[in-house]
Amino acid sequence: MELLKPDVGFMFWHSAIMLLTFLVLGRFAWKPLLMFIKEREEAYRKAIAERQKIAKEIAQVETTKEKILEEAHAKSDLIIQEALDSKEALLQAATQEGDAQKQKIIEDALQVIAEERQATQSALKKQTVELVIHTTEKLLTKELSETHNQQKLIEKMINDVESASNAT
């Protein structure tokens, strides 16, 4: 039961040792611990501030990236539109050139056909005239071989010439 009722000397020495322990701990342990804790808090604050700064920079970079992407999309759309317009212009020019060449070929072909038709008609007329002359020559030779027929033909021609001159 003595432990339940402490002695004054025991209490004094116990208090003195506790006070001495607190002084030694306060001087050599708690100050460095508190300084370490303050440094740690300051490091956390700096890290948080740095993180916020980096977050702002990332947001600015994202904004800049979006603007650059929008400009790039606009430029690519413009380039694509210019390419499409150029394609249409080239296609239209090629079509017009092809139509012009086609029309020239058709006109040349029609001209060649007309020339050949005219040459064919001319040759046909010449052959027809030669055939008529040849046939007439044979007929006349046969018919005019007799003098009596020659006389009839001369009279008929004279009558024809007289009737033609009377008609006019």
Side-chain angles (χ1 to χ4, degrees):
M1 280 267 172
E2 259 184 56
L3 286 176
L4 293 177
K5 293 185 186 179
D7 175 24
V8 172
F10 177 72
M11 291 279 284
F12 171 73
W13 286 109
H14 184 66
S15 296
I17 291 174
M18 283 299 282
L19 184 62
L20 183 64
T21 304
F22 281 131
L23 286 175
V24 170
L25 283 175
R27 181 145 177 101
F28 295 107
W30 287 339
K31 278 188 181 178
L33 281 174
L34 288 175
M35 284 180 61
F36 176 73
I37 290 172
K38 282 184 181 179
E39 287 175 3
R40 189 99 186 230
E41 283 178 2
E42 188 62 32
Y44 283 145
R45 281 191 190 107
K46 286 182 181 178
I48 289 171
E50 188 68 25
R51 186 182 148 289
Q52 289 174 344
K53 181 181 172 186
I54 290 172
K56 286 180 184 178
E57 288 177 1
I58 288 174
Q60 288 176 346
V61 167
E62 285 292 324
T63 305
T64 306
K65 180 185 90 171
E66 289 298 321
K67 286 180 184 176
I68 291 171
L69 283 175
E70 286 176 8
E71 289 174 5
H73 283 298
K75 284 181 182 179
S76 68
D77 289 345
L78 180 64
I79 289 170
I80 289 171
Q81 187 60 41
E82 287 175 355
L84 289 174
D85 292 344
S86 176
K87 178 192 103 179
E88 288 297 323
L90 288 173
L91 187 62
Q92 189 175 19
T95 303
Q96 288 175 349
E97 184 178 333
D99 288 345
Q101 288 178 354
K102 177 181 78 171
Q103 189 63 32
K104 184 176 187 262
I105 290 171
I106 290 172
E107 288 173 1
D108 290 347
L110 288 175
Q111 184 178 2
V112 167
I113 290 170
E115 289 172 359
E116 291 210 7
R117 179 182 293 147
Q118 189 174 13
T120 304
Q121 285 177 349
S122 161
L124 187 60
K125 283 179 184 179
K126 183 178 178 184
Q127 286 177 355
T128 305
V129 167
E130 287 177 3
L131 185 61
V132 167
I133 289 174
H134 184 66
T135 307
T136 307
E137 181 182 345
K138 282 185 179 183
L139 280 174
L140 285 177
T141 307
K142 182 181 175 188
E143 285 292 322
L144 294 180
S145 60
E146 298 175 12
T147 353
H148 173 25
N149 288 338
Q150 287 177 1
Q151 209 47 5
K152 273 184 175 178
L153 181 62
I154 291 173
E155 287 177 9
K156 184 178 178 208
M157 289 175 114
I158 290 174
N159 288 335
D160 286 344
V161 169
E162 285 178 356
S163 36
S165 63
N166 286 338
T168 56

